[in-house]
Amino acid sequence: MRHGRLKAARKTLDFFRLASGITPPYNVLLDGTFLVAIISQKLPLHERLDRLLQRKRFIINITRSTLDELKTLMEKIPEKKELFRQSRQWGLDHCDNILEECDIPTDEEKYDDDNLLSKAGKEMISIIRAQATYFVCSQDEKVLSIVRFMGTSPVMRISRGILLLENPSKASTRMVNRQERKKWSVAGSIQEQETKLIDCAKETQKKKYQQQQQQYTAPSYNNNNGRYHKAKGPNPLSCKKKKRDDDVTTDTKKRKRRRKGEKVVES
C-alpha cells in the first residue's frame, strides 16, 4: 500500500474518532456484494484491513440475512453457484461475529430510500442508524449512498483489487461543523474571565500600535546623498544632434527606382 493512501487513511480514522467516537477495536460490517468481490478478486482481507487500520485490532461482523441472501442466489443463478457458495463459506469461516435478526434493532421510522434495498441492506442501515461505530464494507452503491448521506460511519470498498477507505463525505464535514457551532453557541461556554482577558489583550495591542505611530518620523530627503535631486538639464544622450551647414550637399541627385524588365535609356 502506498504511503499517501496510508496517510489519508490515518486522517480519516482521526476524523471519525473525533466525530463519531470510533475507536479500536474497530467493528467492520460486511455485506454480500463485498464477500463476492473478495472471492472474485482474490483479496486477502485480513492483511489489507490490518494495514489500513494502522495495525489496530478489528472485529469482522456479518448479518444472518446476508448469508441467507447468498444461499438464495445460489439457487437463482446456477452459473455463478460456485462463486456464491465460496463467498458464503468465507463469511462463515472468517467472520468473527454473525448478527442474528433478534440482535438487529428495528427502526420505528420508515425512510423512502429503504424501499430500494434488500432485506440484508435494510438491516445493515438499521444497525448503522442505531450504533454509528461500524465500518461499512459494501459494493452496493445504494447502500453506500445512504451511508455517505448519513455521514456518521466510514465507508470501505474494493476498487481494482485495492481496499479503499473513503474520505469523509460532505455530510460528515457538515455534521462536524454543526457540532462545533453548537459548542460555541451554548450560553456560558465562554466565561467572563476569558472575555476580559481577550479585551485586555486587544487594548494593549491598540495602545502599542498608537505609540508606534507617535514615535514614527517620516524620512527626510534634504540630505545630499545624491538621491531625489532635481535634473539640471536634459540628458545629452537622449537629444537629437543638430545638423551642420557643411554636411548638407545641394548637388545630390535622387536615384529613381527601376523595375524589373525595364531598359535603361541613356540620355
Side-chain angles (χ1 to χ4, degrees):
M1 187 176 290
R2 295 181 180 177
H3 174 71
R5 202 177 297 134
L6 283 173
K7 187 177 179 181
R10 197 181 305 116
K11 287 183 179 180
T12 304
L13 291 174
D14 291 340
F15 177 88
F16 283 103
R17 177 178 59 82
L18 298 172
S20 302
I22 299 176
T23 55
Y26 297 118
N27 284 305
V28 182
L29 185 61
L30 311 182
D31 72 341
T33 58
F34 197 82
L35 289 177
V36 172
I38 290 171
I39 299 301
S40 60
Q41 300 187 29
K42 299 178 180 179
L43 185 77
L45 185 63
H46 285 82
E47 180 184 343
R48 300 290 175 86
L49 280 174
D50 188 42
R51 295 190 66 185
L52 196 64
L53 298 178
Q54 312 296 318
R55 309 291 182 184
K56 298 295 191 299
R57 185 170 172 265
F58 57 88
I59 301 169
I60 299 178
N61 302 274
I62 197 169
T63 59
R64 178 66 65 180
S65 59
T66 300
L67 300 174
D68 295 341
E69 191 179 66
L70 290 171
K71 190 175 182 179
T72 54
L73 287 172
M74 289 167 58
E75 300 173 357
K76 288 183 179 180
I77 309 173
E79 58 269 15
K80 294 185 178 180
K81 181 179 179 180
E82 185 62 24
L83 177 62
F84 295 137
R85 188 194 66 78
Q86 292 180 8
S87 302
R88 184 174 183 274
Q89 192 63 37
W90 194 99
L92 290 170
D93 295 341
H94 295 89
C95 289
D96 302 316
N97 191 12
I98 298 175
L99 301 175
E100 301 293 339
E101 192 173 354
C102 59
D103 301 330
I104 297 169
T106 55
D107 288 336
E108 297 180 358
E109 298 182 6
K110 292 184 178 181
Y111 301 88
D112 297 335
D113 297 335
D114 295 352
N115 298 326
L116 305 173
L117 304 175
S118 61
K119 182 182 178 182
K122 289 178 182 178
E123 288 183 355
M124 179 177 278
I125 297 299
S126 62
I127 290 169
I128 296 162
R129 286 194 180 116
Q131 190 179 5
T133 57
Y134 284 90
F135 286 78
V136 180
C137 300
S138 177
Q139 300 293 104
D140 190 356
E141 282 299 325
K142 295 175 184 177
V143 174
L144 294 180
S145 61
I146 294 172
V147 175
R148 292 187 192 112
F149 181 75
M150 291 166 62
T152 54
S153 299
V155 171
M156 285 187 186
R157 58 185 175 86
I158 300 172
S159 176
R160 298 177 182 179
I162 299 171
L163 182 63
L164 299 176
L165 176 61
E166 290 187 357
N167 294 329
S169 62
K170 292 182 180 179
S172 302
T173 54
R174 283 197 297 266
M175 180 188 69
V176 172
N177 293 335
R178 205 180 304 119
Q179 291 175 357
E180 291 296 326
R181 284 196 296 269
K182 282 182 181 179
K183 288 179 184 178
W184 288 101
S185 62
V186 174
S189 59
I190 300 177
Q191 299 178 1
E192 294 181 0
Q193 294 179 356
E194 294 178 358
T195 54
K196 288 180 180 179
L197 287 172
I198 292 168
D199 294 338
C200 183
K202 287 182 178 178
E203 288 179 1
T204 53
Q205 191 174 5
K206 188 176 179 181
K207 289 179 181 178
K208 188 176 180 181
Y209 177 74
Q210 290 176 354
Q211 290 177 0
Q212 289 178 355
Q213 289 292 327
Q214 291 175 359
Q215 294 174 0
Y216 176 77
T217 55
S220 60
Y221 301 108
N222 297 327
N223 51 355
N224 299 325
N225 55 0
R227 293 190 303 168
Y228 303 102
H229 62 275
K230 190 176 179 181
K232 297 178 180 179
N235 187 2
L237 298 176
S238 63
C239 297
K240 192 175 180 181
K241 293 182 179 180
K242 293 182 179 180
K243 290 185 179 181
R244 298 179 182 177
D245 296 338
D246 301 340
D247 298 339
V248 180
T249 56
T250 55
D251 56 346
T252 55
K253 292 183 179 181
K254 292 184 178 179
R255 295 180 62 185
K256 291 184 178 181
R257 193 173 181 183
R258 188 179 64 174
R259 296 182 180 176
K260 283 185 178 182
E262 289 185 357
K263 294 181 179 179
V264 181
V265 180
E266 296 180 355
S267 56

